[in-house]
Amino acid sequence: MDIYLKHITEENLKECINLKISKEQERYLPHTNEASINEAKVNSQWMPLGIYKDDKMIGFAMYGPDDEETDCIWLIRFMIDEKYQGKGYGRYALQLLLNRIKEQSTLRKIYLSFHPESIVAEKLYLSFGFKQFITGFEAEDEIFFELIM
């Protein structure tokens, strides 16, 4: 499968912003890719990446270190465009992303959060060994998972 990750630059920014999720998924992932990229401009350690199949961007991911915890990386955003969902691309891209994080970081934990009703996301993350954990910041629309490497 020819899936790869590529930095978001001025050349592919519009393509990234135009990625869409289904209307139903919008309640699970309320922030747009554009908002995430703007956050990355403020926090220069965050890494926004396009997920590509062949030469077409099919998704977006962003990760970076936590400002307060020194031993973890946050997977801040992970999405696949609605036209490319259900084909195994998300699973493959997540594996690439986790491999990249492991290669580039000495930090031993990866954290992420998602909407508790997003069963597809939960199954995906559990299949990679993520486990739910309690942070003390839980909200009705967010649960937290961690992967200890």
Side-chain angles (χ1 to χ4, degrees):
M1 190 174 300
D2 194 16
I3 304 288
Y4 59 95
L5 304 171
K6 185 175 171 182
H7 293 279
I8 299 297
T9 64
E10 291 300 320
E11 288 78 36
N12 61 5
L13 178 62
K14 186 174 174 76
E15 189 176 12
C16 181
I17 290 170
N18 289 333
L19 295 172
K20 301 286 183 229
I21 53 178
S22 70
K23 288 288 183 200
E24 180 182 307
Q25 291 171 315
E26 287 177 3
R27 68 186 184 142
Y28 303 146
L29 199 61
H31 301 297
T32 64
N33 290 350
E34 185 173 19
S36 294
I37 292 166
N38 286 335
E39 290 174 3
K41 289 177 182 174
V42 174
N43 191 330
S44 63
Q45 294 186 61
W46 288 1
M47 180 65 56
L49 299 167
I51 300 167
Y52 282 80
K53 177 176 183 341
D54 302 319
D55 292 328
K56 175 83 174 151
M57 189 183 301
I58 63 166
F60 174 67
M62 187 166 74
Y63 68 91
D66 189 300
D67 290 337
E68 297 175 13
E69 290 200 36
T70 59
D71 66 341
C72 72
I73 293 279
W74 276 92
L75 178 50
I76 301 159
R77 182 131 173 118
F78 184 78
M79 64 82 69
I80 299 294
D81 185 273
E82 65 180 333
K83 294 181 292 228
Y84 298 96
Q85 293 178 11
K87 301 176 186 324
Y89 301 148
R91 174 172 298 286
Y92 196 86
L94 183 57
Q95 185 63 63
L96 286 176
L97 189 59
L98 294 176
N99 289 347
R100 179 187 183 111
I101 292 170
K102 289 174 187 177
E103 289 169 6
Q104 294 181 348
S105 176
T106 58
L107 302 178
R108 304 296 3 137
K109 294 182 205 170
I110 300 174
Y111 290 167
L112 57 81
S113 68
F114 59 93
H115 194 283
E117 294 176 17
S118 183
I119 303 304
V120 172
E122 182 176 24
K123 285 182 181 179
L124 176 65
Y125 299 135
L126 286 171
S127 75
F128 277 88
F130 282 88
K131 298 192 182 334
Q132 187 171 357
F133 76 104
I134 307 300
T135 66
F137 297 105
E138 280 65 27
E140 289 179 21
D141 64 345
E142 195 171 28
I143 58 176
F144 295 86
F145 272 35
E146 72 177 342
L147 178 65
I148 299 175
M149 297 184 277

